[in-house]
Amino acid sequence: MKFNYPNGKTVRKQTATYGNRGMTLEEDINLSNEYYVTCGKAVIHKKPTPVQIVDVDYPKRSAAVIKEAYFRKPSTTDYNGVYRGRYIDFEAKETQQKTSFPLKNFHEHQMVHMKRVINHGGHCFVLLRFAASGEVYFLDASRLLQFWHEQKEGGRKSVKKSEIAASGELVPCGFRPRIDYLSIVDKMYFDS
């Protein structure tokens, strides 16, 4: 595929081949959450992104097209809800990297939010998918905060996959639920 930009520059887009094409991490989590709600196991939903719509075009009565919108404020994490009577809050991130996860995928305001959730007794974590292998890891937010602070003190700007595997848990993936992260929540927070 070839793109021609107004400045005359031409860019060719290469087609990537990855396992699980067409299915994003968020779509997988949303399907898992629907399953959990249907089974009566948990109530966890994706948080809406706060946007301010500025300009809308109505080409026909049944279809509005947003022409211009702005983020109202930085969002916190992707998901929250209740499981086994406890507050659950988590972020989902994906990388094409094969051996490490870049910390630049996270933002300072997300770290502040996760720390606040932990301080108030909520269960907070991240789900990290390595797209090339399709593996999803569960990492407690307190461990992510340690990696974040080490980076701020001059440490690595990414976390090695081996460190994530050692500090976290590989999440079982299947059909129903697609990503069974609650089995890891049970193991990490309830089965001790």
Side-chain angles (χ1 to χ4, degrees):
M1 187 178 292
K2 184 170 94 171
F3 294 96
N4 296 311
Y5 289 93
N7 66 3
K9 188 175 182 179
T10 301
V11 176
R12 292 191 186 279
K13 183 176 187 251
Q14 295 180 350
T15 308
T17 57
Y18 299 103
N20 230 4
R21 276 180 299 190
M23 185 58 69
T24 68
L25 177 59
E26 285 190 358
E27 288 171 335
D28 284 345
I29 293 170
N30 292 342
L31 289 171
S32 299
N33 287 343
E34 286 176 26
Y35 173 79
Y36 292 144
V37 168
T38 302
C39 292
K41 191 167 186 174
V43 179
I44 300 170
H45 295 287
K46 178 149 177 46
K47 296 180 198 175
T49 304
V51 293
Q52 176 68 44
I53 298 171
V54 178
D55 185 20
V56 180
D57 184 24
Y58 295 95
K60 52 185 175 174
R61 189 177 177 119
S62 63
V65 177
I66 298 171
K67 295 288 190 175
E68 186 177 0
Y70 298 96
F71 293 110
R72 263 195 234 153
K73 60 182 182 175
S75 62
T76 52
T77 51
D78 290 331
Y79 294 90
N80 69 349
V82 179
Y83 175 58
R84 294 178 66 175
R86 297 295 298 271
Y87 179 72
I88 301 288
D89 193 296
F90 67 95
E91 178 70 11
K93 297 285 187 185
E94 192 163 10
T95 186
Q96 299 298 329
Q97 301 290 323
K98 294 180 181 176
T99 59
S100 66
F101 203 96
L103 288 168
K104 70 180 181 182
N105 289 351
F106 295 96
H107 304 285
E108 185 75 38
H109 64 272
Q110 291 177 314
M111 297 296 118
V112 169
H113 173 76
M114 289 184 211
K115 187 170 175 69
R116 287 176 179 157
V117 170
I118 293 167
N119 289 343
H120 284 279
H123 297 307
C124 193
F125 55 92
V126 293
L127 295 178
L128 308 173
R129 177 185 271 166
F130 288 88
S133 65
E135 293 172 304
V136 178
Y137 286 91
F138 175 107
L139 187 65
D140 186 74
S142 60
R143 187 63 178 119
L144 176 65
L145 286 162
Q146 290 173 342
F147 288 129
W148 180 265
H149 291 301
E150 289 168 11
Q151 170 209 232
K152 305 261 302 166
E153 297 294 319
R156 290 179 45 91
K157 297 186 184 310
S158 64
V159 183
K160 292 179 184 177
K161 185 177 179 183
S162 60
E163 290 177 294
I164 293 170
S167 299
E169 294 283 335
L170 184 63
V171 179
C173 296
F175 178 65
R176 289 188 60 105
R178 209 173 277 265
I179 298 176
D180 190 14
Y181 66 89
L182 286 184
S183 66
I184 306 300
V185 169
D186 283 336
K187 181 177 179 181
M188 297 294 290
Y189 302 124
F190 293 104
D191 294 346
S192 53

